[in-house]
Amino acid sequence: MNSIKGQVNTLGKRRGWESPIDETLFAANIDRQTLDAMMEAAREAFPSFRRYLQAKAKALGIEKLAWYDIFSPLTADEKEWSYEEGSSFVAEQFSSYSAKMGDFARRAFNEDWVDAEPRLGKRDGAFCTSIRNDESRVMMNFKPAYGSVSTLAHELGHAYHNLCLADRTDLQSSTPMTLAETASIFCETIVRNAALQQLDAKDKLAILEASLQGSCQVVVDITSRYLFEKAVFEQRANRELSAKEMCAIMEDAQKQTYGDGLDESVLHPYMWAMKPHYYSAGRSFYNFPYMFGLLFGLGLYAIYEKDPEGFKTGYDELLSSTGLADAAELAQKFGIDIRTKAFWKGSLDTIGKDVDEFVKIVGQ
């Protein structure tokens, strides 16, 4: 860790970067004002995430969550989804947005773009890749639970993004990590909201828990990782740090973010030792782009809810332009100011509504 962070500091200084953050922001196609606005909005939303963590502790019958309780399951008998049922549901909800998106989903299923079968030797996880023209392929292991339906919607969102980029050149379609999750998060949200409207309280709880667990990681935990890495870079500029010092920095970052949502006596001070993102000189701050991707997609969905028809007129064009300009300039063309806290607050308010519903169901 000392070697890698020292190398980045030294090379960055030689190359004229004010700090490692500035170098990463350049690669991510966003500026410091955008990052600061997003991070400030996230900090103001921490109390909402802590309400979720406290409600989850109540549902588990414990006073407060320890670090190792964060991923504890709440339900064991949620609704089972077959692949046929899940793919049909995804196509139906995509159609509720637009005929183009619905037809695209049905084409993907009819032409067998999705390798969904779990097989011996096939690893877990999921990804989507463009292969030629407007075609994509999705690799995933579909399991009979809503989580796989959500993953299917997410990956087909990437495929829809590829569809919108199909007429661009290779250079024009090179999308930074910050914007690469735009369509996937948007499509995942369309399907999740429809499921929440149609299912009973028990199954809604499972969906909300999965969604909030992921959002909490992307907003709260990623902020803790960002604070840790920022502090390490700053202190490493003066001298090497001991493992004990790194543990203290990590634990302090977790206390700043999770607060009273977790038991502060059972945190994860060695998170820095097991998270591979820190151990690459070419991937400094490989954390906040994930938050940007989630919140940008949710922010677009919040705008869509307020003006569905107006939003649709520019959405596909936005997706086709993600390799043409930095994020702020691109968003501004569509009337979105990502340099202000208001946009990010709208994204986080969407998550806040899910927290309210989660707390309500747990209370019942």
Side-chain angles (χ1 to χ4, degrees), residues 285-305:
F285 292 103
Y286 195 74
N287 39 51
F288 67 76
Y290 283 107
M291 190 197 305
F292 185 103
L294 172 69
L295 297 183
F296 190 69
L298 289 178
L300 290 178
Y301 190 84
I303 293 171
Y304 161 65
E305 285 189 306

Side-chain angles (χ1 to χ4, degrees), residues 12 22 38 47 71 75 87 94 147 203 220 247 278 315 319 325 329 342:
D22 294 295
M38 180 180 73
F71 297 105
T75 57
S87 57
F94 278 22
D203 291 318
V220 181
C247 284
Y278 296 128
Y315 180 60
L319 293 179
E329 181 183 343

Side-chain angles (χ1 to χ4, degrees), residues 321-340:
S321 306
T322 50
L324 303 183
D326 66 62
E329 181 183 343
L330 178 65
Q332 194 64 56
K333 291 180 180 179
F334 298 91
I336 302 168
D337 187 357
I338 62 173
R339 292 190 174 104
T340 63

Side-chain angles (χ1 to χ4, degrees), residues 41 44 340-350:
E44 292 182 2
T340 63
K341 197 169 57 176
F343 172 77
W344 303 108
K345 186 177 182 302
S347 307
L348 290 156
D349 285 347
T350 300

